[in-house]
Amino acid sequence: LLERLENLYQSSGGDPKLRPGPKHFGAVIDAYSRADDRESTAEHAEKFLDKSEDLFLHSTNPNDALSNIVYNLVIDAWSRRIGHKSGERANEVLRRMIKNYKQTKNPSLRPDVISYTGVMKAYVTHPDGGKEALQILDEMKEQFKSGNVNAKPDFKAYAVAIDACVRNGLSIEAERLLDELDDSAKNQTIFNTVMNGYRIEGRGQEAETVLKRMIELADRGYRRCSPNSVSFGVCMEAWGRSKSRLKVHACKELLKQCVSRYQSGDSTCKPNLLHFHALAGAITSIGSQDRVSDVLSLFEKMEEQGIKPNRVTFNILIKTCASVFESEDAKKNALQVAISAFNSLESLGISADSITYTSMANVIKHLVNHPDEKLNAFKGIFMRSCEHGFLNQHIINVMAECTTAEQFQAITGMSSIETVPSIDTFPSEWSAFATVDHTAQARQANHADGTN
């Protein structure tokens, strides 16, 4: 459409009514910005900015004066693209705008809060995104102090900067930014974001301190800061990921608080799978002798409250069983629990996944003592994982470790004499749905959000 307008303008002999202006170019840039998430479309948006500068940057016609709007649209285009380059490219557009503002003295070209926030948003997934966002936020503050009233950081600017810090392991800085906000501007989401940072870093005490601040503010009348079930769940996971020996006690107390608030009429604090999974994860990681019975009892209480288990629930239970090593009686009991849990999946309409089969491989490795039983168990897990497309490298490694070369070849059809075969050497359909990185599988179990 812009091209047609340009052609009409040319064919009319330069009719001013048909002359394309900055708004027309802005519309095209905006369209490219929202078209898709490919870098090429952001490149196209920037090319139209180049053309806008050529036509309008030094225009003396007020109607054709270039403004920060087109620059902000290109920055927005880069902020919608995921990749390390996006933040740098958005920042380059910002610097370009500032340079042109200084050269032309055109007040409409001065960057505003939208400009800076867009660049911070583009940096969110960058490896140094937190540091970059902090620098940009400081620049906004300096701009505001120097008289650029439109650059004053608002709630969205702080929210984006906090998100960037959380994603880059700078949760302490994220909390510092939270402190800078007025209490009336804070809300549940921004607190949960900061706590999520502490969850990622496994800092339970710090997460609980943030949770207590939410409760305190809510009690003072700032109801938008009132914690919900997500708040308690994230805090519990932060404790569960910590190295503290107090993690189980802390998680139990947090669950009690959540239940108490729900029973007192706060429907947003209804306990769910997330809370029980977090507590179970803490119990498992602490390594207590009674961890299998404790986790089993916990999940029974969960069902008594009307919360149905899902795949993650069973994965946690099986993984807990696989970690038992204290005594032969304890190992025997854990083996029975793991087998029962695995065999009950189908009757409950729950399908096993890569984590399930991986955990069962560990159960066989650690808990099955009889050589023939161990061999048959590995054969069964291998066949079922292949049948459903969940074979992964960890299962192969465990079987190679626990069987002779002849036994391994009899089960898999592959030789393990010189080296353990790679998952890539097996038919691709056997691992079509497997998680490639086993550590990522373990994280999935720990981060489960309560869905099948």
Side-chain angles (χ1 to χ4, degrees):
L1 288 173
L2 178 61
E3 186 177 341
R4 288 174 61 186
L5 182 60
E6 289 177 318
N7 291 335
L8 284 172
Y9 174 68
Q10 294 294 335
S11 63
S12 71
D15 184 346
K17 293 180 180 179
L18 294 174
R19 186 171 187 265
K23 291 182 180 180
H24 300 97
F25 283 87
V28 175
I29 292 171
D30 190 33
Y32 273 115
S33 169
R34 301 171 186 272
D36 52 49
D37 58 359
R38 293 180 299 175
E39 287 187 1
S40 59
T41 51
E43 296 275 8
H44 282 300
E46 198 161 332
K47 286 180 181 178
F48 277 92
L49 174 62
D50 297 341
K51 193 169 183 179
S52 296
E53 286 183 340
D54 291 340
L55 292 172
F56 309 116
L57 182 60
H58 299 287
S59 174
T60 57
N61 184 346
N63 294 325
D64 289 341
L66 208 58
S67 73
N68 61 18
I69 294 175
V70 288
Y71 291 89
N72 289 348
L73 288 171
V74 176
I75 290 172
D76 180 61
W78 282 115
S79 75
R80 294 171 184 268
R81 272 71 191 168
I82 298 175
H84 299 167
K85 189 169 73 171
S86 299
E88 293 158 2
R89 292 296 296 269
N91 201 10
E92 288 173 5
V93 175
L94 174 64
R95 301 307 149 192
R96 182 171 163 183
M97 178 176 16
I98 293 172
K99 178 183 176 181
N100 289 336
Y101 161 68
K102 290 179 179 179
Q103 286 182 346
T104 65
K105 307 299 181 183
N106 175 4
S108 297
L109 280 177
R110 198 171 192 183
D112 58 15
V113 64
I114 297 174
S115 315
Y116 288 105
T117 302
V119 176
M120 288 194 293
K121 183 182 174 185
Y123 269 121
V124 164
T125 58
H126 191 279
D128 294 319
K131 293 179 181 178
E132 296 290 347
L134 289 171
Q135 291 177 5
I136 293 169
L137 189 64
D138 286 340
E139 184 177 340
M140 294 177 73
K141 295 174 186 175
E142 289 301 318
Q143 280 285 310
F144 177 66
K145 288 179 181 178
S146 65
N148 185 359
V149 294
N150 293 323
K152 182 180 180 181
D154 58 10
F155 177 82
K156 184 176 181 180
Y158 272 93
V160 172
I162 287 171
D163 187 31
C165 288
V166 162
R167 290 172 184 246
N168 285 269
L170 299 174
S171 297
I172 292 178
E173 289 296 324
E175 188 173 1
R176 179 181 65 79
L177 296 181
L178 177 65
D179 292 339
E180 293 182 11
L181 288 170
D182 187 86
D183 288 343
S184 62
K186 296 169 184 172
N187 62 26
Q188 183 185 90
T189 302
I190 202 78
F191 275 105
N192 286 352
T193 300
V194 174
M195 278 198 295
N196 188 51
Y198 286 131
R199 177 193 69 83
I200 295 170
E201 296 174 22
R203 304 176 71 161
Q205 187 63 67
E206 288 83 351
E208 189 165 349
T209 298
V210 175
L211 179 65
K212 289 178 179 177
R213 289 176 60 190
M214 295 179 74
I215 295 172
E216 177 188 349
L217 285 172
D219 290 343
R220 285 167 46 196
Y222 297 101
R223 301 305 301 171
R224 295 173 65 212
C225 297
S226 183
N228 61 359
S229 61
V230 173
S231 312
F232 283 96
V234 169
C235 191
M236 289 174 68
E237 284 199 45
W239 271 111
R241 286 166 156 258
S242 75
K243 297 179 180 179
S244 173
R245 301 296 296 180
L246 301 175
K247 62 169 72 176
V248 174
H249 173 74
C251 285
K252 286 182 177 179
E253 289 301 311
L254 287 167
L255 181 57
K256 286 181 182 178
Q257 289 181 44
C258 187
V259 171
S260 176
R261 293 178 77 90
Y262 176 66
Q263 292 177 341
S264 298
D266 188 348
S267 61
T268 67
C269 286
K270 183 178 181 180
N272 58 38
L273 276 170
L274 174 66
H275 306 101
F276 288 93
H277 289 168
L279 177 51
I283 293 171
T284 299
S285 65
I286 207 71
S288 66
Q289 291 188 359
D290 299 324
R291 56 190 176 280
V292 172
S293 58
D294 287 347
V295 170
L296 196 57
S297 175
L298 175 66
F299 288 150
E300 287 173 352
K301 291 178 181 177
M302 179 185 81
E303 290 191 74
E304 289 174 2
Q305 295 189 26
I307 302 174
K308 294 183 178 180
N310 68 1
R311 181 193 301 128
V312 175
T313 311
F314 285 92
N315 286 348
I316 292 172
L317 180 57
I318 295 170
K319 181 182 177 183
T320 304
C321 293
S323 70
V324 172
F325 60 87
E326 287 80 10
S327 68
E328 287 304 315
D329 286 343
K331 290 168 67 175
K332 184 177 180 180
N333 176 65
L335 177 60
Q336 292 175 342
V337 172
I339 293 173
S340 175
F342 182 74
N343 289 338
S344 64
L345 289 173
E346 187 174 351
S347 64
L348 293 172
I350 299 173
S351 58
D353 65 359
S354 198
I355 300 173
T356 317
Y357 291 112
T358 298
S359 298
M360 282 304 297
N362 288 328
V363 164
I364 297 166
K365 174 183 177 180
H366 297 299
L367 304 182
V368 179
N369 294 325
H370 194 281
D372 290 340
E373 291 180 358
K374 180 170 288 204
L375 184 62
N376 288 330
F378 273 132
K379 188 182 299 183
I381 286 297
F382 176 78
M383 291 178 65
R384 291 187 65 172
S385 63
C386 292
E387 180 185 354
H388 295 99
F390 288 116
L391 181 66
N392 61 49
Q393 189 65 53
H394 183 83
I395 297 173
I396 296 169
N397 293 345
V398 170
M399 288 197 305
E401 179 186 347
C402 299
T403 60
T404 65
E406 293 77 12
Q407 290 171 336
F408 183 87
Q409 187 164 15
I411 295 174
T412 67
M414 297 285 185
S415 173
S416 63
I417 294 177
E418 294 182 0
T419 182
V420 177
S422 166
I423 186 69
D424 296 330
T425 62
F426 291 85
S428 59
E429 60 268 24
W430 290 3
S431 58
F433 307 108
T435 306
V436 176
D437 180 1
H438 179 59
T439 58
Q441 298 173 359
R443 285 195 296 270
Q444 178 190 334
N446 290 334
H447 296 180
D449 63 0
T451 57
N452 276 335

